[in-house]
Amino acid sequence: MAYIGQNLDRFSNVEKLDVITPATATGAGPYNLTQNSTAFTPINANSLVISIDGVIQYGNFSVNNATVTFDAALSDANTCDFIYQMGIGLISTPADDTVTTAKLEDGAVTTAKILDNNVTVAKLPTTLDISGNTVTLPASVSGLGTGITNAQLAGSITDAKIIGLTSSKLTGALPAISGTSLTALNATNLGSGTVPTARLGTGTADATTFLRGDQSFAEVGGGITEADQWRLSASQALTTLDTTTLLSGVWERNDTAGYSQIGTGMSESAGVWTFPSTGIYYIDVRFVFLSAGGGSEYNEVDIWSTLDDSSYTQQSSGTIAVQASSIDYNASTATFYFDVTDVSLCKLKIQYFIQGNVTLKGSSVKSITHVNFIRLGDT
Amino acid sequence: MAQLNTKIKLYAKANGVNSIDFLSEVKLQDDSNGQGAYIKEWNLDIPQPTSEQLATYEDEANAEEALNTVYSNRRSEYPNHNDCIHALLDGGDTLTDLQAKRQATKLKFPKT
């Protein structure tokens, strides 16, 4: 028989501890556990064999580190006979597949006891809540694939995390973004489409305007915007001699079929002509004189203008003579370029001066004595 | 009613001015507003006449204008310059006929 005749302290892994000294003052404990006067921490309470007053104590005490506390108080009268720790060396090597879960202490399997790369997915719970932990991924993670869904991404992905964004990810309706971000957009990158006229320049953009180099819309220069013709509606016998005389109340706008004015046209009241708009006008007055019989050596047609609607200045005149005859015609012309800067102040008068009785020829069906107004351009 | 220029001519002649340039020395204006002609500018050395002074020349001016009308009417019916030159060159009946036409015109438009 093995081990007969051997003292207990000779058993492998059986430790003999120093006896404690029960005391009324200490009661149930704790009592320090020592071996050779050195603190001794047993494996657990079950590994200790303590004899008090000849009675083996079991299951009625607990250990905490290097102390033991009894369930009942001890007294000075009690005597501790011995204390042994029954080491693991007393346990025989168990047979394969005989160590049950119950034999393992809770939490006894440490990380070191698990072989690397040997915890399979099947050993993990279906729902693994690691919200209380920090998951640190390596700088390069391969194999994630599409396993991480949008819902699993929280917060924002910063620009630094985006290394490439292909055009295929920008199809369809793009979100509204600020134009100030398109700082590198240049003309060569504009494909097709229409740039709104409001983005091209200031002013009114329509069929009558064009875009100038200073990025403003303006009317096309050089075009005729006003052209009008008036005529003496009937012949007038002129008998006021040696007197500059205003020709008033005898004008009509050409209304013969085929005639067409351009623009608003002129207006005449009491011999004073008013312009429809500012600008530089060419005025061409043509008088046709007919001798009244006795002739007239000096016949003048005059253009007078004012810049203040009050004081008139003679700007142009044309003179001609008609001989003593009943059929002697002659024509005289006066022209003027008038810079009309204000239509309410810049006015015009047409007057005549004769030295003998004459007839100023006119007609309501054709233009004989007449005046042309043509706006040449801006003032 | 006589014209203003006629009365001014008579006033000027009575004051030693025998001819007037109505384009510079005396400028008359008619604004065709029913008020008739008026003196716009007077540049003669003699004083500008008043309306009352000019009114004193009304009758004489009417007579002057009537005479001018006679002259004007005669000029309109006298043979023209070409006919006169031919008549003078041809003489004879041509000249006699022309002189007869001129005399007939004078009789048609007598001075009085």
Side-chain angles (χ1 to χ4, degrees):
Chain A
M1 295 178 59
Y3 305 117
I4 293 176
Q6 295 291 328
N7 293 328
L8 288 174
D9 57 356
R10 299 291 298 273
F11 278 79
S12 174
N13 293 325
V14 175
E15 304 287 346
K16 180 181 181 184
L17 306 185
D18 299 334
V19 297
I20 62 175
T21 303
T24 303
T26 304
Y31 294 92
N32 293 327
L33 296 174
T34 61
Q35 183 181 43
N36 299 322
S37 300
T38 299
F40 182 89
T41 299
I43 299 171
N44 52 41
N46 293 333
S47 65
L48 293 181
V49 178
I50 302 175
S51 174
I52 301 296
D53 295 335
V55 177
I56 298 302
Q57 306 297 317
Y58 186 79
N60 59 346
F61 59 86
S62 61
V63 297
N64 183 17
N65 294 325
T67 63
V68 59
T69 301
F70 294 89
D71 293 345
L74 302 180
S75 66
D76 296 339
N78 295 124
T79 300
C80 175
D81 302 313
F82 56 82
I83 301 174
Y84 287 97
Q85 175 180 260
M86 304 308 286
I88 58 176
L90 290 175
I91 302 173
S92 300
T93 299
D96 291 346
D97 299 327
T98 60
V99 179
T100 64
T101 297
K103 295 298 184 292
L104 293 176
E105 184 183 9
D106 291 346
V109 180
T110 64
T111 301
K113 303 304 181 186
I114 301 173
L115 187 63
D116 290 347
N117 299 321
N118 274 274
V119 177
T120 64
V121 174
K123 295 299 183 285
L124 296 175
T126 303
T127 300
L128 181 61
D129 185 357
I130 56 173
S131 60
N133 299 73
T134 300
V135 177
T136 302
L137 298 176
S140 175
V141 180
S142 61
L144 284 177
T146 59
I148 298 177
T149 65
N150 290 335
Q152 291 169 324
L153 293 174
S156 303
I157 297 176
T158 63
D159 289 345
K161 303 304 181 188
I162 302 173
I163 60 173
L165 187 63
T166 62
S167 59
S168 63
K169 301 299 186 293
L170 295 172
T171 59
L174 296 176
I177 59 175
S178 171
T180 57
S181 300
L182 301 175
T183 56
L185 188 63
N186 58 57
T188 58
N189 289 332
L190 293 176
S192 60
T194 302
V195 178
T197 55
R199 300 289 176 269
L200 299 176
T202 59
T204 301
D206 58 28
T208 67
T209 60
F210 73 103
L211 182 61
R212 305 196 313 188
D214 61 358
Q215 292 184 298
S216 64
F217 288 98
E219 292 186 355
V220 177
I224 300 298
T225 59
E226 290 285 348
D228 198 10
Q229 184 182 76
W230 289 62
R231 65 193 178 195
L232 199 66
S233 59
S235 294
Q236 303 290 318
L238 308 183
T239 58
T240 302
L241 308 182
D242 297 325
T243 303
T244 299
T245 305
L246 178 65
L247 201 52
S248 173
V250 293
W251 297 101
E252 69 169 16
R253 173 175 282 122
N254 187 339
D255 56 3
T256 304
Y259 169 79
S260 180
Q261 70 190 77
I262 298 175
T264 305
M266 299 291 293
S267 59
E268 183 265 348
S269 177
V272 177
W273 294 88
T274 300
F275 293 85
S277 59
T278 60
I280 296 177
Y281 285 79
Y282 174 65
I283 298 118
D284 175 19
V285 184
R286 297 166 184 258
F287 273 26
V288 176
F289 294 103
L290 170 63
S291 172
S296 177
E297 296 179 349
Y298 190 91
N299 308 284
E300 179 180 287
V301 53
D302 298 330
I303 296 175
W304 294 66
S305 70
T306 178
L307 301 177
D308 58 7
D309 194 26
S310 175
S311 178
Y312 281 81
T313 302
Q314 185 176 6
Q315 296 288 0
S316 176
S317 67
T319 59
I320 199 73
V322 288
Q323 301 301 316
S325 168
S326 59
I327 56 170
D328 190 49
Y329 289 87
N330 226 329
S332 182
T333 300
T335 62
F336 176 49
Y337 292 91
F338 193 7
D339 186 1
V340 179
T341 57
D342 188 324
V343 295
S344 64
L345 298 177
C346 299
K347 304 291 182 65
L348 197 80
K349 287 181 177 178
I350 299 173
Q351 304 192 98
Y352 64 88
F353 181 101
I354 56 174
Q355 285 188 321
N357 293 343
V358 294
T359 296
L360 186 61
K361 292 296 291 182
S363 170
S364 64
V365 296
K366 62 181 180 180
S367 296
I368 303 175
T369 291
H370 63 279
V371 54
N372 297 308
F373 299 91
I374 302 173
R375 184 182 183 280
L376 301 177
D378 295 334
T379 180
Chain B
M1 185 177 181
Q3 293 199 30
L4 179 59
N5 70 319
T6 306
K7 289 184 282 188
I8 289 175
K9 286 177 183 176
L10 293 173
Y11 165 80
K13 188 174 182 179
N15 288 274
V17 177
N18 292 323
S19 66
I20 300 174
D21 183 349
F22 281 99
L23 292 173
S24 59
E25 294 173 327
V26 175
K27 293 183 179 180
L28 306 181
Q29 176 70 43
D30 188 337
D31 293 328
S32 297
N33 56 5
Q35 301 300 310
Y38 60 92
I39 299 172
K40 184 178 181 182
E41 193 174 318
W42 185 269
N43 298 315
L44 292 175
D45 291 334
I46 60 175
Q48 179 174 336
T50 64
S51 298
E52 290 74 18
Q53 287 176 307
L54 291 176
T56 62
Y57 294 96
E58 183 68 28
D59 292 341
E60 188 179 353
N62 282 329
E64 180 80 11
E65 288 177 1
L67 185 59
N68 287 338
T69 299
V70 170
Y71 288 145
S72 177
N73 289 337
R74 287 182 178 180
R75 283 197 301 271
S76 67
E77 294 196 10
Y78 279 153
N80 60 37
H81 293 165
N82 286 337
D83 291 342
C84 291
I85 293 172
H86 283 296
L88 289 172
L89 294 175
D90 293 344
D93 292 341
T94 303
L95 181 56
T96 302
D97 291 344
L98 184 139
Q99 288 173 335
K101 288 181 180 178
R102 285 178 54 84
Q103 188 59 35
T105 300
K106 289 178 180 178
L107 292 175
K108 183 178 180 181
F109 301 110
K111 292 184 178 177
T112 56

